Amino acid sequence: MLTIVISLNTVFAQENSGNDDAQTVERSYLELPWIRVIPIKDTKTGRQYELYIKLPEGYSENNDIKYSVLYFTDAMWHIEILSGSIEYLMKNAILVGISWQKDINEKLKKDVGAHTSRFRDYSTRKSSNPEHQAKYQFGQASNHLTFIRNDVIKYVENNYRTDPDNRTYFGYSLGGEFGAYILLAQPDTFKNYILGSPSLKGDIPYLSKLESNAALKYKDLNANVFVSYGALEKELGLYAEKFITMLKTRNDESLFLKHVVIESADHGRAFPMTAVRSMYWLLDLIKE
């Protein structure tokens, strides 16, 4: 297992000293030795990913404890705030971040960014625009869920002392859409679902069909669900409310729903509050 290092090299920068003289300043980067980086392959597609794993303090000292696990997508974006939150709130939890595809097409990576695979992996529907569909390959959430169930979760539970009955998923924006899909497609994947500002525009009809299938296949979802969005996210909030109504109309006594609107927040500002408030919610469920 590798240790994540934000940078292995010390770099030097020329900074203006204010009097036209160049000054050489040594610059280094923070190392996070408690975050383990594990390469992992999607055995179905052959795509390469990484897991960012943080074990709780004292993990190696007590072999009797089985730990709850918090899995989250968009790992590079979310690792810092979630790591800091559980450090103080949930000392007996393992953190597992799932990266974007590492061996993505270099041209696409350059044009769109390192996060480009999220558009394919977290989305449930293909684009009606042939050009966009060819470029991004939207609508492969089912493949990514298979990867998480068959490769990611199996790896974690085979190598760490975990509680399989206490898995949590955290996803924001497009990751929230992916979480809504998991909840209705294969609800037993996780016990707790945190869906922050889920991007559900255009997804409600598809999710409704999925919910109908879930009602036939799963009598009870047996899940705890946290759904949030910013008060300024008018359109997104509308679709999130439709999703919440869909869940409520199930009259499923095994489904416990927490609905939070983040005051005075747009899509960007809603994220940090969603992360912190959902961790407090999760703490009450885990009851360490």
Side-chain angles (χ1 to χ4, degrees):
M1 293 185 292
L2 305 176
T3 301
I4 185 171
V5 178
I6 297 178
S7 177
L8 296 176
N9 301 313
T10 299
V11 299
F12 295 88
Q14 296 293 327
E15 296 188 353
N16 195 320
S17 64
N19 59 2
D20 296 327
D21 292 330
Q23 179 183 4
T24 300
V25 178
E26 183 175 325
R27 181 185 300 161
S28 61
Y29 292 87
L30 178 66
E31 297 181 2
L32 302 176
W34 53 88
I35 304 291
R36 305 178 181 189
V37 179
I38 311 298
I40 189 168
K41 183 173 74 171
D42 183 332
T43 54
K44 180 179 179 180
T45 65
R47 296 165 183 157
Q48 298 290 336
Y49 294 82
E50 288 178 342
L51 303 181
Y52 303 161
I53 299 179
K54 179 178 181 180
L55 300 178
E57 186 176 352
Y59 174 87
S60 60
E61 299 170 5
N62 191 333
N63 295 326
D64 297 327
I65 298 178
K66 288 191 174 182
Y67 297 86
S68 58
V69 183
L70 172 61
Y71 295 86
F72 61 102
T73 45
D74 289 320
M76 186 58 74
W77 287 343
H78 301 340
I79 183 70
E80 293 170 302
I81 193 167
L82 292 179
S83 175
S85 297
I86 70 166
E87 183 72 24
Y88 288 94
L89 297 177
M90 289 177 285
K91 297 187 181 299
N92 287 334
I94 296 174
L95 195 62
V96 178
I98 306 167
S99 80
W100 306 306
Q101 184 185 346
K102 304 301 293 183
D103 56 339
I104 199 72
N105 178 277
E106 286 300 321
K107 185 180 184 305
L108 191 58
K109 183 177 179 180
K110 183 178 180 180
D111 291 345
V112 181
H115 62 283
T116 183
S117 64
R118 72 191 298 268
F119 300 113
R120 177 197 66 213
D121 290 344
Y122 306 164
S123 60
T124 60
R125 298 172 298 110
K126 293 183 178 181
S127 172
S128 58
N129 184 315
E131 184 178 344
H132 287 177
Q133 182 59 33
K135 183 175 183 179
Y136 295 103
Q137 300 179 321
F138 290 106
Q140 295 191 34
S142 61
N143 288 339
H144 202 56
L145 176 54
T146 298
F147 163 60
I148 289 175
R149 287 176 64 94
N150 293 351
D151 297 314
V152 173
I153 292 177
K154 282 185 179 179
Y155 174 85
V156 172
E157 295 186 351
N158 286 339
N159 288 276
Y160 301 98
R161 299 191 307 277
T162 69
D163 179 2
D165 296 324
N166 212 349
R167 305 185 198 120
T168 299
Y169 172 83
F170 179 100
Y172 191 80
S173 192
L174 198 53
E177 175 190 347
F178 182 54
Y181 165 76
I182 300 172
L183 174 64
L184 296 178
Q186 298 195 63
D188 61 335
T189 307
F190 301 100
K191 175 64 177 177
N192 312 304
Y193 290 80
I194 299 170
L195 313 178
S197 297
S199 298
L200 299 178
K201 182 179 180 179
D203 286 294
I204 297 301
Y206 172 77
L207 291 176
S208 295
K209 291 181 181 178
L210 220 76
E211 193 278 330
S212 297
N213 293 336
L216 295 174
K217 187 174 181 180
Y218 302 97
K219 181 180 179 181
D220 301 318
L221 291 182
N222 192 29
N224 305 305
V225 182
F226 179 103
V227 182
S228 68
Y229 58 87
L232 302 181
E233 299 184 273
K234 299 301 183 181
E235 185 178 44
L236 186 150
L238 175 65
Y239 290 104
E241 290 289 348
K242 290 182 178 181
F243 177 69
I244 291 167
T245 299
M246 182 194 308
L247 294 179
K248 288 182 176 179
T249 55
R250 286 181 59 91
N251 294 318
D252 184 347
E253 294 184 357
S254 73
L255 178 66
F256 298 92
L257 182 64
K258 176 71 172 180
H259 173 206
V260 174
V261 179
I262 309 297
E263 303 82 358
S264 304
D266 57 15
H267 195 63
R269 293 181 179 181
F271 171 69
M273 289 301 296
T274 293
V276 173
R277 292 178 71 168
S278 66
M279 291 303 102
Y280 272 104
W281 170 80
L282 187 59
L283 178 63
D284 289 338
L285 295 176
I286 293 178
K287 297 178 181 179
E288 293 188 341

